[in-house]
Amino acid sequence: MVDSLIQSLKLPLVLQSRICSRVASSSHDTNTSRSNVGGTITNRSDPSDDELVERVTTNPFPVTSSITHGSNGDGSGSFILYLPTVVLRKRHNPALSLSCHLANKFRIPLIVLFTVLDDHHLPPQHKNNDPPLTTGTTTVTNSISMTARRLAFTLEAIQSLTPELEKMGCGVAIRVHGPGARTPHHLSLIRKNDSWSRAVVCDEPFVDPYRTYVSRIVTACRGNGVPCYTVDGSTTVPPRMKLRRKPNSEDWEGAPVKAWAWEKKTAEDRILQVKGAVLNGDLKAPTLDVRLPPDFFLAVSDVDGDSRAGEHPSNNLIRSLLPCSWLDPLTPSPSQRPWTTRELLSLNIKQWVMTWPGAD
């Protein structure tokens, strides 16, 4: 079944073939404007990590302030949420491209939230059931996902990408998880009634801890009725083009046992995918119609809506949808609120990771 929202975008086939609809859109979601609901958007304080995972699909957050939706029904009280994990680049990034297409369809901003995960996000079988590994005189009983070297590598990739995203007009935020720093803002932003994510887009992951992370995002989207899409930017030929999804399952079947068999099976598609991406620009992200300013969650716009050409008319409205901790420059970052791009660029990453308690 083709998702109605994706179908309405009229995307190139090369891009469309990489999109998997995890939570399908409803017919209402394909409308290009949002009717006035006469409700309020709440600005929330941050609950704890475990509490938020349980509550995100059920109970509302504490209200600290509110702002009423505009009566023009222009969707200004909502945004597209892109949660990158493994595709940390602008060029040939199909998830970024889809996110921009969705933002332009509804004429709303695009928020990009990077969440760098630590070992806490590994599933239980990786954390507890692995046999001990002995190296010299050291015995390791648990899997290690986030070493200082890997953390530096990931943050340097994000450091090079975020200025490009801000030039596009994306609202960029960077969280790093560690001990006492795991409030799942990637889930708290998925609220259809108060922070109204119009749709959520993630990279398609193939390994943990990203599979667990995306699984929780899909669950939150399903509980809130928010469309959710994962997009494969890691393979030349998306496996979903050739595999079959098992009935009533997130698993797929039909993969050949031998690598050469898969190569032969996908040879024709590989040529089409490469030509589409390189020659036709099918994966290129379009220019955003609605732009957010740099460091958007710490930047206060003019109350009268006076903003630079092409920017969202009131960044203050978008800021009212965010967790309270994001709005205070004095809140510790990246533990309790995200870094801005400016803050990330100011760091010597290799020095900083040696002081971060979340790295092994």
Side-chain angles (χ1 to χ4, degrees):
M1 178 181 177
V2 178
D3 184 274
S4 57
L5 178 54
I6 297 301
Q7 195 172 31
S8 71
L9 296 175
K10 296 180 171 34
L11 302 172
L13 289 178
V14 167
L15 175 56
Q16 190 168 321
S17 69
R18 295 177 173 273
I19 301 168
C20 182
S21 175
R22 299 291 184 177
V23 180
S25 62
S26 64
S27 58
H28 171 75
D29 293 317
T30 63
N31 296 332
T32 57
S33 64
R34 183 186 178 195
S35 61
N36 180 32
V37 295
T40 60
I41 303 172
T42 59
N43 196 344
R44 305 171 299 278
S45 59
D46 286 312
S48 66
D49 182 2
D50 295 334
E51 181 186 16
L52 183 49
V53 172
E54 296 298 325
R55 292 172 51 194
V56 70
T57 61
T58 54
N59 300 326
F61 291 84
V63 176
T64 58
S65 64
S66 63
I67 183 167
T68 305
H69 281 290
S71 58
N72 57 0
D74 62 357
S76 57
S78 59
F79 51 84
I80 300 299
L81 181 61
Y82 172 34
L83 302 170
T85 53
V86 294
V87 184
L88 304 180
R89 63 178 186 268
K90 177 187 174 186
R91 189 183 184 196
H92 299 159
N93 184 338
L96 175 61
S97 179
L98 173 62
S99 300
C100 293
H101 280 288
L102 288 168
N104 286 348
K105 177 176 178 59
F106 297 114
R107 294 192 60 78
I108 56 178
L110 170 59
I111 293 179
V112 183
L113 172 59
F114 295 90
T115 303
V116 183
L117 306 176
D118 65 349
D119 297 345
H120 179 79
H121 293 271
L122 288 169
Q125 65 268 26
H126 291 320
K127 287 193 286 188
N128 302 319
N129 297 336
D130 286 352
L133 173 66
T134 301
T135 56
T137 59
T138 303
T139 299
V140 180
T141 56
N142 295 336
S143 296
I144 296 177
S145 169
M146 186 50 67
T147 63
R149 179 173 293 187
R150 180 172 179 177
L151 178 59
F153 180 81
T154 302
L155 287 177
E156 285 175 343
I158 296 173
Q159 202 176 43
S160 67
L161 171 60
T162 50
E164 294 185 272
L165 296 180
E166 285 201 331
K167 286 180 183 177
M168 293 174 61
C170 303
V172 177
I174 308 101
R175 279 294 311 279
V176 181
H177 281 200
R182 299 190 185 100
T183 301
H185 290 141
H186 54 282
L187 300 182
S188 66
L189 294 177
I190 305 171
R191 300 282 303 177
K192 193 164 186 174
N193 293 326
D194 49 10
S195 72
W196 226 74
S197 302
R198 198 69 184 251
V200 176
V201 179
C202 306
D203 297 330
E204 180 69 66
F206 297 97
V207 296
D208 285 313
Y210 307 111
R211 291 198 309 166
T212 303
Y213 171 80
V214 170
S215 176
R216 290 172 179 167
I217 292 167
V218 171
T219 299
C221 288
R222 186 174 291 121
N224 285 279
V226 175
C228 180
Y229 306 99
T230 55
V231 188
D232 183 357
S234 302
T235 62
T236 307
V237 179
R240 66 181 302 273
M241 290 182 65
K242 297 296 183 181
L243 305 183
R244 302 177 299 276
R245 177 177 273 178
K246 295 180 180 179
N248 304 316
S249 173
E250 294 293 331
D251 296 328
W252 300 73
E253 59 185 2
V257 177
K258 303 294 185 180
W260 63 264
W262 177 257
E263 183 178 6
K264 183 177 180 180
K265 187 175 184 177
T266 58
E268 206 171 297
D269 299 285
R270 188 176 299 107
I271 295 173
L272 292 175
Q273 289 284 332
V274 171
K275 283 185 175 180
V278 177
L279 299 181
N280 302 336
D282 290 346
L283 303 184
K284 184 178 180 180
T287 301
L288 286 171
D289 294 335
V290 179
R291 300 163 60 87
L292 290 175
D295 305 337
F296 78 104
F297 55 88
L298 293 181
V300 181
S301 302
D302 189 291
V303 294
D304 295 325
D306 183 18
S307 56
R308 287 177 287 177
E311 285 184 355
H312 201 260
S314 177
N315 186 48
N316 290 340
L317 177 57
I318 294 301
R319 293 174 78 249
S320 73
L321 312 177
L322 304 174
C324 298
S325 60
W326 287 33
L327 310 182
D328 185 357
L330 299 180
T331 303
S333 61
S335 55
Q336 304 306 316
R337 71 158 172 85
W339 276 323
T340 64
T341 294
R342 189 197 308 263
E343 290 171 327
L344 179 60
L345 292 176
S346 70
L347 297 175
N348 182 317
I349 294 298
K350 288 184 173 64
Q351 290 181 0
W352 181 86
V353 297
M354 300 306 296
T355 67
W356 179 246
D360 296 310

